[in-house]
Amino acid sequence: MNTSQAEVIKKCRNDLQKERIVKSVLCGMAVGFSVIFIVAFITWIFEFKGLWLSIGLGVAAWIGATLLFYFVLFSFTDMEVMKRIDRAGLDERMVTMYELQGDNSYMAQRQRADASAAFLAAVKKSGGHLIKTKIATAIICVASIAGTVGAGMAVVTGLSDYGVIPTLYELFTDDSYGGFGHGSNVPTYTVTYKVGGEEEGGTIRVSNSDSDVDKVKKGGVSSARAVIADGYYIEKWEDDKGVEYYPEIVGYQPTQFSADNVQKNMTVTVVFAKYDDEDDSGFSYYYNPDNDKNQDGPDNPDGPDGNGDQPEQDNGDQTPAPPMPSGGGGSPTAPGNTIVDGETQYGENYDAYYALAMDMLANGTDGYPPELVAMLEAYFGILL
């Protein structure tokens, strides 16, 4: 075999190698997407978040199957290369020449000459492309079907994971989806409450219960209450999606949390934080004039015992900090502008609170910008 023939045969081998790669990838794809479909379907049935699990296992199966097909099922030998060349119209001349290699008999030499002539004619006729890439129709069909159903099932389980569509169990048991259930099979979810941040800052329990785990029917409401330890406050509430809920009023820390329309298992964390100065918790107390009925109010610096005692701090279960009137102002007797017991109009005790606020601003503003102090003084001045 001369040099030109050897080069053509080498090119035929490379063409056959490309066909081998394509077939291996397509077959591996069929296996991988089949795994995605099976895992996604199973997790959709059992209400397990299986999107990333199915994708991960599917990709691993795709890679593993591709390597298996490439090195085992679609590998080829030199004889198979010659057989593919013979399909170009050489009538097994190349196979015979390959079998007689090393034989220098007259008949072997005549056969090699005949095969070489036929080979050159076939190369000229095909333009140098004796082997054309051929992928079986069955492989293409199987890969296409597996890819479609596997990707579709992955989308379904993904939408189910994020609560966009119901699970298969819900479709058959929940009346709200037109299933075959009778109300008693409505799924029950678990809402777990836990403490974060300064863990010694308090405790949290499900409302009307001593447990920190609440069992809620689908679409139900779960609520919890937090008990704050002295010297601490609630910085925020946070759910397992990372959504944070902060107090709406500075100094006012809600001790209640409510999760409406529960659609899945979830975890809610209350984050406690510690005041910088335990002896002075800023605005974490309020003045109650009822505690000083014998006083003239904060305007009397001597008080009933003449020692100038400040109003007592209330670190009990009362809501820390006086509720601000709606809208930041308005009539002191307008509906909703109440404090302490929900009935007392804030205007009745405004003078006492105003004097207390001015005293706090006068004695505790070191380090605060003058503009902030002036803004607070102006705010209290326009409440009435």
Side-chain angles (χ1 to χ4, degrees):
M1 183 181 296
N2 57 39
T3 304
S4 61
Q5 290 177 342
E7 291 178 351
V8 173
I9 292 177
K10 182 179 179 180
K11 183 178 182 304
C12 291
R13 179 182 293 274
N14 292 336
D15 292 338
L16 198 59
Q17 182 72 9
K18 294 177 182 178
E19 178 181 302
R20 176 187 181 190
I21 293 174
V22 174
K23 289 166 64 176
S24 299
V25 171
L26 288 177
C27 290
M29 171 183 170
V31 173
F33 274 101
S34 296
V35 171
I36 290 177
F37 174 82
I38 294 172
V39 176
F41 184 73
I42 292 175
T43 55
W44 184 50
I45 292 177
F46 293 101
E47 299 183 309
F48 178 82
K49 292 184 177 180
L51 174 61
W52 297 112
L53 176 63
S54 61
I55 292 177
L57 292 178
V59 171
W62 187 344
I63 295 174
T66 298
L67 295 176
L68 178 64
F69 282 111
Y70 181 82
F71 288 106
V72 178
L73 297 181
F74 295 138
S75 61
F76 55 85
T77 62
D78 291 341
M79 178 60 74
E80 290 174 326
V81 175
M82 297 303 175
K83 289 180 180 179
R84 285 295 299 271
I85 295 176
D86 278 338
R87 294 179 186 177
L90 296 179
D91 296 328
E92 298 187 354
R93 286 184 175 87
M94 298 301 294
V95 171
T96 304
M97 183 180 68
Y98 184 80
E99 292 174 343
L100 296 177
Q101 60 182 338
D103 186 349
N104 294 321
S105 64
Y106 176 77
M107 293 299 297
Q109 293 178 8
R110 294 296 300 170
Q111 194 281 331
R112 279 195 288 270
D114 178 67
S116 297
F119 179 80
L120 293 176
V123 170
K124 184 177 181 180
K125 182 178 180 181
S126 64
H129 298 284
L130 292 178
I131 295 180
K132 296 181 179 179
T133 301
K134 294 182 179 180
I135 309 298
T137 303
I139 295 178
I140 297 175
C141 291
V142 171
S144 300
I145 295 173
T148 302
V149 298
M153 195 66 241
V155 172
V156 169
T157 194
L159 293 176
S160 177
D161 289 350
Y162 290 96
V164 178
I165 62 175
T167 64
L168 186 63
Y169 175 80
E170 292 172 335
L171 286 175
F172 279 89
T173 59
D174 196 338
D175 290 337
S176 61
Y177 295 111
F180 302 104
H182 301 285
S184 60
N185 292 323
V186 175
T188 299
Y189 297 111
T190 300
V191 181
T192 304
Y193 294 93
K194 64 179 184 179
V195 175
E198 299 284 349
E199 296 187 357
E200 66 275 14
T203 60
I204 182 173
R205 289 290 181 268
V206 176
S207 296
N208 303 319
S209 173
D210 291 331
S211 174
D212 56 2
V213 176
D214 194 11
K215 300 289 187 179
V216 185
K217 292 288 187 181
K218 177 181 173 64
V221 177
S222 176
S223 60
R225 51 185 169 78
V227 178
I228 309 173
D230 291 344
Y232 294 85
Y233 65 96
I234 297 177
E235 180 181 347
K236 63 182 179 180
W237 297 80
E238 183 175 358
D239 61 24
D240 51 4
K241 288 185 176 180
V243 179
E244 299 176 339
Y245 305 88
Y246 290 93
E248 296 181 355
I249 304 176
V250 176
Y252 172 68
Q253 305 295 340
T255 59
Q256 298 288 330
F257 180 88
S258 179
D260 300 329
N261 191 25
V262 176
Q263 297 291 328
K264 63 175 183 176
N265 296 332
M266 60 186 300
T267 300
V268 178
T269 303
V270 57
V271 180
F272 291 108
K274 191 175 183 180
Y275 286 112
D276 293 336
D277 186 354
E278 295 183 359
D279 296 328
D280 183 7
S281 299
F283 293 100
S284 65
Y285 64 89
Y286 67 85
Y287 175 71
N288 187 349
D290 292 338
N291 293 335
D292 297 314
K293 294 182 179 179
N294 297 326
Q295 295 184 7
D296 293 332
D299 293 333
N300 181 4
D302 295 329
D305 53 4
N307 59 8
D309 289 339
Q310 293 294 327
E312 296 182 357
Q313 293 190 12
D314 187 347
N315 290 323
D317 294 333
Q318 297 287 346
T319 303
M324 300 298 183
S326 302
S331 171
T333 60
N337 289 343
T338 59
I339 58 174
V340 182
D341 56 6
E343 298 180 358
T344 305
Q345 297 292 330
Y346 80 86
E348 298 180 16
N349 297 321
Y350 172 76
D351 291 338
Y353 282 123
Y354 179 78
L356 174 62
M358 294 301 103
D359 181 67
M360 292 170 62
L361 291 174
N363 296 294
T365 58
D366 292 341
Y368 290 94
E371 296 83 0
L372 176 61
V373 176
M375 180 183 70
L376 291 174
E377 291 178 344
Y379 173 75
F380 280 98
I382 64 173
L383 287 179
L384 287 180

